[in-house]
Amino acid sequence: QQQVKQSPQSLIVQKGGISIINCAYENTAFDYFPWYQQFPGKGPALLIAIRPDVSEKKEGRFTISFNKSAKQFSLHIMDSQPGDSATYFCAASMSPTSGTYKYIFGTGTRLKVLA
Amino acid sequence: NAGVMQNPRHLVRRRGQEARLRCSPMKGHSHVYWYRQLPEEGLKFMVYLQKENIIDESGMPKERFSAEFPKEGPSILRIQQVVRGDSAAYFCASSPQGQEAFFGQGTRLTVV
């Protein structure tokens, strides 16, 4: 119930293409879903986040699509660039009815954008 | 506004020694989280602290690991009597209200 399943594990996209990464969850108490980008040797950087009352959120080339009934959310990277090559993590957290905002992370997707 | 500061960035310890990892949250942030990342894996929650209080330590191993966030100074993650399996990247994150978290660059611990 606490898991967040992320797919695919790795993804290769041509420059200018669309990268799509998917996540699914079980626990309906989750109410905050961020995406993080991590380069080798660096910490995760917050890209974009969404709450369940919104079906889509866009920031620049990054869009989160959220399907509450299916308990799924996805990250779309439009016009993918070589500089987007990194590992992407989805996460979920819930309001602290249990006293914590801890994140449950997906297992990560290693994206490579070919020049 | 400086980001989350972690030090040291790299730490090498021999088996049986103590490792002490420091985290200074972003200015104005009173919530601190510690996560561990094993090679080629995702991040696993360890502990959540607010000033002087441990809120959730459900991800902390029962032995050898402890964390604190004193009224003054950085948050400290302490690992006593380190073993090879403790080798990992340890990330600290801070948050102003609790849910939106900003991560530091991590401390990469190597146990030899």
Side-chain angles (χ1 to χ4, degrees):
Chain A
Q1 269 242 325
Q2 290 284 2
Q3 274 190 320
V4 176
K5 295 182 180 178
Q6 183 171 347
S7 63
Q9 193 173 14
S10 61
L11 181 62
I12 299 175
V13 173
Q14 293 288 338
K15 179 182 175 182
I18 302 173
S19 303
I20 301 174
I21 304 170
N22 302 297
C23 284
Y25 63 98
E26 288 295 324
N27 192 338
T28 54
F30 288 139
D31 69 349
Y32 180 73
F33 303 89
W35 284 91
Y36 284 85
Q37 178 189 57
Q38 186 178 30
F39 293 103
K42 302 294 185 183
L46 178 62
L47 267 180
I48 187 172
I50 199 168
R51 294 190 185 275
D53 54 347
V54 175
S55 61
E56 185 174 281
K57 184 174 180 181
K58 185 175 180 178
E59 286 184 7
R61 295 185 295 110
F62 300 94
T63 299
I64 299 180
S65 296
F66 189 86
N67 186 329
K68 189 175 180 179
S69 60
K71 291 184 282 187
Q72 295 175 348
F73 58 108
S74 59
L75 176 69
H76 296 233
I77 306 174
M78 314 300 285
D79 186 26
S80 300
Q81 299 296 313
D84 297 330
S85 297
T87 300
Y88 292 81
F89 292 97
C90 63
S93 79
M94 65 185 82
S95 293
T97 51
S98 58
T100 182
Y101 288 110
K102 69 183 179 188
Y103 284 2
I104 308 298
F105 278 90
T107 50
T109 296
R110 187 172 291 184
L111 171 66
K112 185 174 177 65
V113 181
L114 301 176
Chain B
N1 189 8
V4 178
M5 304 300 291
Q6 289 189 249
N7 66 81
R9 292 292 311 277
H10 300 274
L11 183 61
V12 179
R13 283 287 177 265
R14 296 188 182 279
R15 281 177 293 171
Q17 290 184 320
E18 178 179 288
R20 206 171 267 245
L21 288 61
R22 294 175 183 76
C23 169
S24 296
M26 291 176 71
K27 188 176 180 181
H29 289 195
S30 59
H31 301 249
V32 165
Y33 299 83
W34 286 93
Y35 289 82
R36 177 163 63 178
Q37 185 175 36
L38 294 170
E40 307 299 320
E41 292 189 15
L43 294 99
K44 303 292 186 189
F45 168 78
M46 298 182 74
V47 63
Y48 164 39
L49 310 103
Q50 293 181 31
K51 282 287 187 182
E52 300 185 277
N53 289 303
I54 296 175
I55 307 300
D56 180 357
E57 56 182 348
S58 59
M60 287 275 271
K62 293 284 185 269
E63 297 178 351
R64 302 187 299 107
F65 285 73
S66 63
E68 63 177 10
F69 188 16
K71 187 176 179 182
E72 302 290 338
S75 175
I76 306 287
L77 179 68
R78 184 179 175 209
I79 311 172
Q80 294 179 293
Q81 298 176 314
V82 295
V83 300
R84 289 237 171 95
D86 297 333
S87 295
Y90 291 83
F91 289 98
C92 169
S94 75
S95 176
Q97 303 102 355
Q99 206 159 37
E100 185 181 43
F102 299 88
F103 282 79
Q105 296 300 301
T107 293
R108 277 139 188 94
L109 172 65
T110 302
V111 180
V112 297

